Structure formats: structure tokens, C-alpha cells
């Protein structure tokens, strides 16, 4: 029986098996689902009782037309119906976006939701995948992403906010800047399927901005937010032309009677829905803290209703997943089949505390061993007995502080582990900055790994500058070189501080955005949020330098340079609780655009 259950994961390449398939292969008793990102507090028991009482009528008769159901949803969310198209789940809308609006190419950061990579590839489109770096906590740098799009000549750009599976979050002003910078593309899609669970910003959605722009679509989910994945419904918001083009291709009865019943009953349960979101956010903080206490486990900051975790060195995710299911009746999402990820990562859905305690106990037994079974993770001191096929890579990265073979090369030049040539460990919560492509910019005592000089034996400032006529004349020292050394060599060093922000600041910007929500208006106790500090404006498209980024995703099982440790993540997890917004009335309902609630 256990073999039949675990074989369902190996036979399904793209996604985890459905709960129905798991139930058919087992009794299903006592199974706790940490795999499917679902709201565990909504609908309320009273709402389920109401649906159960009307089940016969719901499944017997035809639903109303999609236009009728869409009009009711738009009345609830205060959105113009001509700017909205409802689909049989967000996957149906992604399919039609691909067929109708993606002509030849699509860019998407990875790892992300699989349909954004799989769907266009199935129809023969070129998919340009922008790898999110583990060294940056999988944060998306929009400036580098824009450079990547320009270099590839991509026609369509996709951003998931928050991103799935890591839960990375981008603030509204940054996304609006990106949309305007990409105004010449065929299409920009902002997937906000998990945005209802975010609390890092008061009004994070860009649906209002999308309706005013000719090439922007915002995708929203209903099943994830309402805890009803089985009822396939979602919607998109765009200008009337784009929304109407999608809506004209949808079947008249593409929404079922369950979807209609839920949409029409939502207006009576706005308070319960808002309370469920607040509880999920509190559970996310508690769950992050409990998981971070496990030795060697890395927990990444998230604004979704799930957490992205990296298993300790030597742990194989498929083994952990199978044992958690068969030995502890816990279903977890192993991310080895997600492009840009590996089996070293799990996505764990936020659940109530009683379930989290069961999860932590199960992970402790599976990862660190019990008297009955061996451990999936070797002793940290020995580094032997790895079950992962990437043991050599894991050990290499661990021994070189995330610098990999480059760190060993620096040691081979003559810098021992404690010598000045090898950089110290990065500060807590700050990944090691990616090295610049060809420019050997010198780094002082505070920063990254210095590149070895070719054959210079002079002081370390000499190789900083490119002027070669100045370096050869140290031997003949008559009158000419004397005035040039104090002034001409000191003066050209002025541009050096201008090169550093071009390399390091864009990569650290997303970390500050995600990991320090205490600087955000939600952290202020008063009802009026403080102004958001505006970062440096996004450079003009024409001024982007040639891209200096990896050409492909990180190989499976290979951590990026400067991978964060669990201690670093715990120190700057960016998940400090923010006060929630109050509701004006018992029958109020939040809007998609974050406007004042209905009363």
C-alpha cells in the first residue's frame, strides 16, 4: 500500500497527485495536507452546512451564464464588468492568454508556478527563464529582469507576486515602474493568485493600474483564497479590449453551479473571510519560527500561505517526502520537478498550530533519526553518508562559504582559509554578491572576493585602474611620473564608488524589500501609514548595460553562491507581524484593488 502511494509521485512529472488519487490508494484517514496551498479557515463550517443542504439543487441544475456570475463578483469587488473575465480556474485563463496573446516568446522568473513555463512550451513558444538566485533569498531584481528581457528580445513578461513556491514579494510601486518600463511589450502579466495572504503592504494589488494600461493583465485566484480548490474559479483584470478578447473565447457555461453558489453567498461572509486571512498570517509567523529551530533547515521569507524551506545538507527531498507520508501521514510538496529548484527544497503550506507541531515532530524524526529508523541527514560533524546525489557539491559549497570552486581557486593562489585573500562570511541575512563579469573591480576590507592580479607586485591600488601607460613607468622615475602619481592615479579612482552600486545594490534591493517589512507603512501603529521610501528610479530601457547574469537556472541540487543559512534567515526573516486593517461593518467585503471596503 505504501509503495502504491509513493509511486503516484514518481509517475506524475509536473505536479503532486490529487487528494482523490491518494485516497484511492489508501484509506486517507488522518492525512494532513501540507502540499496544496489552501486557506484552512474558509469557508466556515456554517457555509459548508449551507452548501451541503443545497447540494442536490447545486449539482442537478445548470448554472447561470458566466456573465451573470461575473457581474455579481464585480459588484462585490467594485470592478467594472467589462474589465473582468472569469475562468474555470486560473489555469484556464493562463491557457487562453497563451493561445491569444503570446505570439512567440515569454519571459518568467524561475522557480515559479509550473503552468507559466509548461503551457507556452506546449504550444511551441520560446520560454526565457530568468533564474532567481538562492544567494539573494530567491528575491526578484526587477532591474536585472528587465535587462534579461531586453537582451533576449522577449515579447511577453510574467511576474508572480507573491511568487510560488518561495513566497517572494514585490511592492506595488516597483511593479508599476516595471510595467511602465515594459510598455512596448506585447503583454505584461502580473499573477496575484496569492496576494490576499500578503501583509507587507496596505494596498499591494495593481488591478487599478492594469485597467489603465493597454498591455497589462492581472490574474487573481478565488479557489486558493477561499479554500475551495475543487471549485475551479478565478478571474483576470485588464483594460476592456484585452479582457473582452479573453471573455469572447470562453464557453458560456465555463463556470459551474458550485462557483455560482459561492460567489452569491460571499457578500454575507466578508468578516469571516478577513478573519481567516489574519489567522493565516499569524500561523505563517508561528510556523516559520518553529521550522527555523530545526538544525540545518533554511526557511525563506514568504508573503504567501506557504513556506519555502531548504533541507539540511545531505537530505534528499523525495526520501523525506515519502517517509513523511508513509510514516507520519503528512503530505508535503517536494520541489525537485520545479524548474529552477531541486529536491533539496520543500514547499510547506501554512496550517494551524496543532498541525505544525505534528509536522515539526515528523521532520525531526525523519531528518535526524529515531531508534526505529535511520536518519535521512548525516551527522553534521562527519559529512559522511549523504543520501543526496549532490554530496560533493554540497560539501564544496559548505567548505568555501558558498564561493564554490572560485573560493578554492583563491585559496590555491596563496590565500588560506584565514588569510586576507578569502572573504569572511557574509553578514546575517545578506547573501554574497554575485561577481561582476569581466571588470576586476578591487574590493576593500568590507566586501567580496578579490580577483587575483595578473602579475603585479606593487601595492593593491595599482591594479584598480585600467590606465596602462601609468603602470609600466615605475622603473624610470625622472620628472614626468612624479606629478602623475599623486594626482592622475588618485583622480581616476573616483569612479569606483559608481561601479559598486551598479553591481551590488540592484541585487540587494529585493532583500531589503522583502526582509524588512518593519520599514513599511504596515509597521506603523497608527491608521495612517507612513510614506514608503521610494528607491532609486528604474533606469531607462536604453541605458541598461549588457546583462551580467547566469544564462540558465541553477543546476538541480547545486546551491547558488552565498546561500543563506538558517541562522541568517532567522535573524532577518522579514516576517514581523504587521497590524491588520479593520473592517467598517459586519457585511463589508474587501476589494481586489484595495479600495475602501463596502459597508
Amino acid at each position: 500500500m505504501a509503495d502504491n502511494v509513493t509511486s503516484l509521485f514518481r509517475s506524475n512529472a509536473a505536479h503532486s497527485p490529487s487528494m482523490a488519487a491518494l485516497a484511492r490508494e489508501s484509506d486517507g484517514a488522518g492525512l494532513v495536507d501540507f502540499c496544496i496551498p489552501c486557506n484552512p479557515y474558509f469557508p466556515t463550517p456554517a457555509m459548508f452546512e449551507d452548501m451541503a443542504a443545497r447540494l442536490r439543487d447545486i449539482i442537478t441544475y445548470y448554472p447561470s451564464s458566466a456573465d451573470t456570475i461575473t457581474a455579481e463578483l464585480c459588484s462585490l469587488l467594485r470592478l467594472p464588468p467589462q474589465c473582468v473575465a472569469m475562468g474555470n480556474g486560473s489555469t484556464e485563463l493562463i491557457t487562453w492568454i497563451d493561445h491569444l496573446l503570446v505570439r512567440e516568446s515569454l519571459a518568467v522568473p524561475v522557480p515559479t508556478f509550473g503552468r507559466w513555463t509548461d503551457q507556452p512550451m506546449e504550444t511551441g513558444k520560446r520560454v526565457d527563464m530568468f533564474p532567481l538566485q538562492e544567494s539573494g533569498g530567491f528575491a526578484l531584481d526587477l532591474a536585472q529582469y528587465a535587462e534579461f528581457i531586453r537582451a533576449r528580445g522577449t515579447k511577453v513578461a510574467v511576474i508572480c507576486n507573491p511568487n510560488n513556491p518561495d513566497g517572494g514579494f514585490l511592492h506595488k510601486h516597483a511593479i508599476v515602474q516595471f510595467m511602465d518600463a515594459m510598455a512596448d511589450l506585447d503583454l505584461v502579466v502580473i499573477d496575484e493568485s496569492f496576494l490576499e495572504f500578503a501583509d507587507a503592504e496596505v494596498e499591494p494589488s495593481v488591478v487599478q493600474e492594469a485597467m489603465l494600461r493597454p498591455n497589462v493583465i492581472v490574474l487573481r485566484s478565488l479557489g486558493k483564497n477561499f479554500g475551495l480548490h475543487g471549485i475551479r474559479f478565478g478571474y483576470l483584470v485588464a483594460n476592456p479590449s484585452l479582457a473582452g478578447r479573453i471573455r469572447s473565447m470562453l464557453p458560456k457555461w465555463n463556470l459551474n453551479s458550485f462557483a455560482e453558489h459561492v460567489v452569491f453567498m460571499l457578500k454575507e461572509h466578508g468578516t469571516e473571510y478577513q478573519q481567516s486571512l489574519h489567522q493565516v498570517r499569524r500561523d505563517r509567523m508561528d510556523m516559520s519560527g518553529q521550522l527555523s529551530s530545526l538544525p540545518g533547515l533554511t526557511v525563506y521569507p514568504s508573503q504567501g500561505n506557504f513556506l519555502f524551506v531548504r533541507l539540511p545538507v545531505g537530505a534528499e527531498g523525495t526520501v523525506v517526502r515519502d517517509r513523511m507520508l508513509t510514516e507520519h501521514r503528512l503530505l508535503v510538496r517536494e520541489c525537485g520537478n520545479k524548474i529552477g529548484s531541486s529536491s533539496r527544497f520543500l514547499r510547506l503550506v501554512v496550517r494551524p498550530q496543532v498541525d505544525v507541531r505534528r509536522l515539526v515532530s515528523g521532520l525531526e524524526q525523519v531528518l535526524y533519526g529515531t531508534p526505529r529508523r535511520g536518519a535521512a541527514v548525516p551527522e553534521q560533524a562527519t559529512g559522511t553518508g549523504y543520501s543526496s546525489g549532490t554530496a560533493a557539491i554540497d560539501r564544496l559549497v559548505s567548505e568555501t562559504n558558498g564561493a564554490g570552486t572560485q573560493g578554492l581557486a583563491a585559496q590555491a593562489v596563496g590565500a588560506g582559509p584565514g588569510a586576507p585573500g578569502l572573504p569572511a562570511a557574509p553578514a546575517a541575512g545578506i547573501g554574497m554578491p554575485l561577481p561582476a563579469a569581466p571588470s576586476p573591480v578591487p574590493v576593500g576590507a568590507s566586501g567580496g572576493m578579490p580577483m587575483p592580479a595578473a602579475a603585479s607586485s606593487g601595492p593593491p591600488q595599482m591594479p584598480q585602474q585600467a590606465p596602462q601607460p601609468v603602470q609600466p613607468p615605475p622603473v624610470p622615475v625622472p620628472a614626468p611620473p612624479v606629478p602623475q602619481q599623486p594626482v592622475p592615479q588618485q583622480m581616476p579612482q573616483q569612479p569606483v564608488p559608481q561601479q559598486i552600486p551598479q553591481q551590488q545594490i540592484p541585487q540587494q534591493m529585493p532583500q531589503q524589500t522583502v526582509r524588512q517589512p518593519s520599514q513599511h507603512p504596515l509597521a506603523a501603529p497608527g491608521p495612517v501609514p507612513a510614506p514608503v521610501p521610494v528607491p532609486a528610479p528604474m533606469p531607462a530601457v536604453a541605458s541598461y548595460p549588457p546583462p551580467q547574469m547566469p544564462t540558465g537556472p541553477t543546476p538541480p541540487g547545486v546551491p547558488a553562491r552565498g546561500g543563506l543559512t538558517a541562522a541568517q534567515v532567522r535573524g532577518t526573516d522579514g516576517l514581523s507581524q504587521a497590524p491588520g486593517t479593520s473592517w467598517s461593518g459586519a457585511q463589508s467585503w474587501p476589494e481586489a484593488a484595495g479600495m475602501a471596503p463596502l459597508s
Side-chain angles (χ1 to χ4, degrees), residues 313 392-412 415-418 421-426 432 448-449 558-563 565:
V313 172
I393 298 296
D394 293 332
R395 192 177 299 110
L396 170 65
V397 172
S398 176
E399 292 174 355
T400 59
N401 191 33
T405 56
Q406 189 177 14
L408 294 181
Q411 297 182 30
L422 194 64
M432 181 175 295
M449 182 172 297
V558 181
R561 289 180 292 273
T565 66

Side-chain angles (χ1 to χ4, degrees), residues 37-43 48 197 222-230 273:
C38 200
N39 186 344
Y41 300 109
F42 198 83
F48 276 118
F197 299 104
L222 295 174
K224 299 177 181 65
N225 306 333
F226 299 149
L228 295 169
H229 280 283
Y273 175 61

Side-chain angles (χ1 to χ4, degrees), residues 507-531:
Q507 296 173 6
Q508 295 180 2
M509 285 280 289
Q511 297 178 9
Q512 296 174 357
T513 301
V514 177
R515 299 173 186 277
Q516 298 180 2
S518 59
Q519 299 177 358
H520 198 269
L522 263 184
V528 180

Side-chain angles (χ1 to χ4, degrees), residues 83-157:
C83 294
V84 176
M86 287 193 69
N88 189 249
S90 59
T91 303
E92 181 183 45
L93 297 174
I94 292 174
T95 303
W96 281 111
I97 290 173
D98 173 53
H99 281 291
L100 297 177
L101 304 176
V102 181
R103 292 187 299 166
E104 57 184 59
S105 57
L106 177 144
V108 60
V110 292
T112 193
F113 179 49
R115 291 314 299 168
W116 283 119
T117 56
D118 299 348
Q119 172 61 42
M121 286 194 293
E122 291 169 3
T123 55
K125 314 293 172 50
R126 190 188 81 227
V127 179
D128 298 328
M129 304 180 195
F130 179 75
L132 301 176
Q133 298 298 320
E134 184 188 352
S135 61
F138 294 96
L140 173 60
D141 187 311
L142 288 178
Q144 288 191 351
Y145 187 36
E147 294 172 10
F148 175 82
I149 292 170
R150 295 306 183 191
R152 296 290 295 165
T154 318
K155 301 299 184 182
V156 175

